[in-house]
Amino acid sequence: PYMAKLACIHATTRDLDSFRLALERIEACGADQDQFTQFDMEFHVQLALCSRNPLMLKVYQQINAVRANAQWNRIKRVILTPEKIGAYNVQHRAIYDALRHRDVNGAVDQITAHLGLARQDLLGAEGE
């Protein structure tokens, strides 16, 4: 959420254009789990870049490194149904819209909801 707040405050027009392109790529991947994962990582890196905070970017790059391991590949096969990808993309669009409108509270609320859903899905997949 803090990264989204910083992104709302510091993103340049060029940053937002790159963020929009990342959003368009993730929305265009359809139900392809591998493409979704790749573009989801790009989307969140673009959010970190929008924050203009090098530490935030480094933290998110480390998160992406964890997502590249075999355990994530197993989990994503369970989690990333076409419906779930669609739900995540609705949230991605809402995050982008909040940033574009410089709506700090909206961006924080949207990313909090997005991370909450992802956390819930990850915890639910551990038992499967």
Side-chain angles (χ1 to χ4, degrees):
Y2 188 68
M3 185 170 66
K5 179 179 180 175
L6 290 175
C8 251
I9 294 168
H10 298 294
T12 66
T13 300
R14 182 173 287 160
D15 292 333
L16 292 174
D17 288 343
S18 295
F19 193 50
R20 178 182 47 77
L21 292 173
L23 173 66
E24 290 171 356
R25 280 190 285 276
I26 198 171
E27 288 177 334
C29 76
D32 185 301
Q33 294 173 329
D34 293 326
Q35 279 190 355
F36 177 84
T37 298
Q38 174 189 346
F39 295 138
D40 185 60
M41 289 189 298
E42 178 187 349
F43 178 86
H44 289 278
V45 165
Q46 287 298 324
L47 180 61
L49 287 166
C50 285
S51 77
R52 296 277 170 182
N53 184 308
L55 179 59
M56 291 288 174
L57 178 59
K58 191 67 170 170
V59 167
Y60 205 80
Q61 288 169 333
Q62 289 301 310
I63 291 169
N64 280 346
V66 170
R67 289 177 72 183
N69 73 34
Q71 184 179 8
W72 170 248
N73 281 325
R74 182 187 61 77
I75 291 173
K76 80 178 179 186
R77 300 287 175 225
V78 173
I79 294 173
L80 295 179
T81 64
E83 296 78 22
K84 191 59 70 172
I85 289 172
Y88 286 146
N89 279 339
V90 167
Q91 291 179 324
H92 289 144
R93 174 61 67 175
I95 293 164
Y96 168 75
D97 287 342
L99 258 66
R100 185 172 53 92
H101 291 105
R102 306 292 182 170
D103 177 1
V104 173
N105 292 331
V108 168
D109 290 347
Q110 292 299 327
I111 198 72
T112 299
H114 182 58
L115 294 174
L117 178 60
R119 180 178 184 273
Q120 176 185 344
D121 291 343
L122 286 169
L123 292 174
E126 284 182 349
E128 296 189 25

